[in-house]
Amino acid sequence: MPTESARRSGRLPAFERRVLLGSWLVAVPALIGVAVLLLTGVPEGALCWLLAIAVVLATALIARWQHRRVVYPLYTLAGLLEALREGDYSLRGVQGGVLGGAIYDINALADRLQKERLQFEDASRLLGKTLAALDSAVFVFDHDARLRLLNPAAQHLLRSDRPALLGRRADEIGLDALLATPGAQVIRHAFPGRSGRFEIRHAPLRNEGRSGQLLVINDVGRVLREEERQAWQRLLRVLGHEVNNSLASIHSLAGTLATLIAREPLAEDWREDARGGLQVIGNRAESLSRFLAGYSRLAALPPPQRRELDLATLVPAVARLEQRLPVQVEPGAPLPVQADPDQLEQALINLLRNAVEASLSTHGGVVMRWRSEGERALIEILDDGPGLPGSDNLFVPFFTTKPGGSGIGLALVRQIAEAHEGGVSLLARDGAGAIAQLWLPSAPFS
């Protein structure tokens, strides 16, 4: 078809002009023969046959020449289109011929298809690496419930290799029941490679106009076991540190006392030394007993007995319990929460005690306030102390930065807050000091 510029100018494209010109040239021998007959009359005998043969041969040669001029460029186009159809985007045509416009468009199409193929291959490699790095098992089924794609985690889960699984139906590999379960469900299941608790998720897919299924299986039991193992390691590390410190002191003093009593003769002040050593052993044993009692109290926190409380009443009451320095309470509107009054009061007392101890070292003050923030009630305790210590273990049980501290207070506060579906955090203030924040779900007044 003529291009837009050719149509506007009224001129035919080069290829069409060549075809039209060649068609007229094919008729030239016949026209010459007719002209000869008109001018000289019909020749006799052999001359007439000679003229006819000349006209036929000239017409055949020109037709052959015209055929080659028309067909060879089309062969070039056909070759380029065949290469595109076969997926070979590396061939290019010469743009200077009679079909330069069509060749240009085909070359541009090949460039675009080649670029899209490279992008697709890069995306496929990225997808493959991403699936290989996932701990979750990923399965992709087509419209016939036949497996078309899976990652290494899926192979390990089914304890089979890829060629043996691809193309098989979901019921043949025991996954049809999981495809029929509701999405985002945690079930207990036994696979050939592993058994335990698994989270099942699936979603519909479409490929080439046909529906399919994406199935993702996540081993939540392994994640929980890993978290439990890390929690036990942290707990045993803290317990071992405290117990070893106490036992080392007791062992050292016991050895000193044994050496003292074994002397002959006994020193005159051996009784005072023995009494002092036994007293130190007793104090250290009592400290270890208090430490273990604190752990028992943290581990045996009962579920909260919730009832409606007003923070406008509870917060000032907690502030009045502190006698070491005046605690400023910023006035606020009534704010109801559903909480256990004893546990919430104990959590606020622990946070307030830490704030007061920090402010006493700098002769600063402490402020308590509360406010509503969205769907939660927020309580803040601000101090003018030296700021937060440089550690991420402030809420780890038995971790403390205070001499003689138990490391129970903040851990207990967090446990109480989370039992109330809330949370707690410690933030540094601009300048000096810290902010302790405890939040709970707010509740409308009944």
Side-chain angles (χ1 to χ4, degrees), residues 55-74:
V55 169
V56 170
L57 289 177
T59 301
L61 291 175
I62 296 175
R64 176 62 177 171
W65 171 77
Q66 172 66 0
H67 176 266
R68 296 180 63 181
R69 281 164 53 92
V70 173
V71 170
Y72 282 8
L74 296 180

Side-chain angles (χ1 to χ4, degrees), residues 324-387:
R324 288 175 292 180
L325 58 78
V327 178
Q328 178 185 353
V329 179
E330 293 186 0
L335 184 56
V337 294
Q338 292 287 335
D340 187 313
D342 296 332
Q343 292 187 9
L344 182 56
E345 182 177 295
Q346 183 61 49
L348 293 178
I349 288 174
N350 288 350
L351 293 177
L352 181 60
R353 182 185 298 118
N354 290 341
V356 169
E357 292 174 354
S359 295
L360 286 175
S361 62
T362 59
H363 306 286
V366 176
V367 178
M368 296 187 70
R369 63 190 182 193
W370 68 93
R371 68 175 184 274
S372 177
E373 191 177 77
E375 296 183 353
R376 67 179 188 175
L378 179 64
I379 307 171
E380 293 184 328
I381 303 177
L382 298 79
D383 65 69
D384 296 327

Side-chain angles (χ1 to χ4, degrees), residues 55-276:
V55 169
V56 170
L57 289 177
T59 301
L61 291 175
I62 296 175
R64 176 62 177 171
W65 171 77
Q66 172 66 0
H67 176 266
R68 296 180 63 181
R69 281 164 53 92
V70 173
V71 170
Y72 282 8
L74 296 180
Y75 282 166
T76 302
L77 287 180
L80 293 175
L81 293 176
E82 177 69 16
L84 294 181
R85 188 176 67 85
E86 295 295 332
D88 183 4
Y89 307 135
S90 60
L91 293 181
R92 298 292 185 271
V94 179
Q95 300 180 15
V98 294
L99 294 178
I103 297 295
Y104 173 83
D105 292 336
I106 292 178
N107 290 345
L109 177 61
D111 289 336
R112 179 174 178 179
L113 292 176
Q114 189 174 33
K115 184 181 297 182
E116 290 181 353
R117 168 182 278 184
L118 293 177
Q119 292 175 351
F120 175 76
E121 291 176 352
D122 291 341
S124 299
R125 285 192 293 268
L126 178 60
L127 177 61
K129 292 181 179 179
T130 302
L131 291 177
L134 290 178
D135 292 331
S136 302
V138 179
F139 302 88
V140 176
F141 295 90
D142 62 10
H143 63 285
D144 290 330
R146 294 189 179 276
L147 185 62
R148 297 304 179 192
L149 178 66
L150 74 163
N151 65 340
Q155 300 178 49
H156 297 156
L157 188 65
L158 298 182
R159 193 178 291 177
S160 182
D161 55 1
R162 183 184 297 270
L165 294 173
L166 289 178
R168 300 182 62 184
R169 295 179 55 86
D171 55 355
E172 297 175 352
I173 55 179
L175 299 180
D176 54 329
L178 301 183
L179 288 174
T181 59
Q185 184 177 4
V186 178
I187 64 173
R188 184 172 294 277
H189 194 81
F191 292 97
R194 191 162 58 248
S195 61
R197 297 177 61 195
F198 299 89
E199 181 187 28
I200 308 299
R201 292 180 177 270
H202 50 75
L205 295 175
R206 294 197 67 83
N207 183 26
E208 298 180 352
R210 295 185 175 183
S211 61
Q213 282 280 351
L214 170 67
L215 176 64
V216 180
I217 303 176
N218 186 26
D219 187 357
V220 296
R222 185 175 61 178
V223 177
L224 294 176
R225 289 192 298 271
E226 179 64 21
E227 291 293 332
E228 182 181 3
R229 184 184 65 81
Q230 294 180 3
W232 275 109
Q233 286 180 346
R234 290 194 298 267
L235 176 61
L236 292 175
R237 186 164 53 248
V238 175
L239 286 175
H241 179 268
E242 185 68 22
V243 171
N244 285 335
N245 286 344
S246 298
L247 293 181
S249 301
I250 293 174
H251 182 269
S252 177
L253 287 172
T256 302
L257 292 178
T259 303
L260 178 65
I261 297 175
R263 288 178 180 175
E264 290 292 345
L266 293 173
E268 296 182 356
D269 55 349
W270 73 273
R271 295 181 182 274
E272 288 77 8
D273 293 339
R275 188 180 297 110

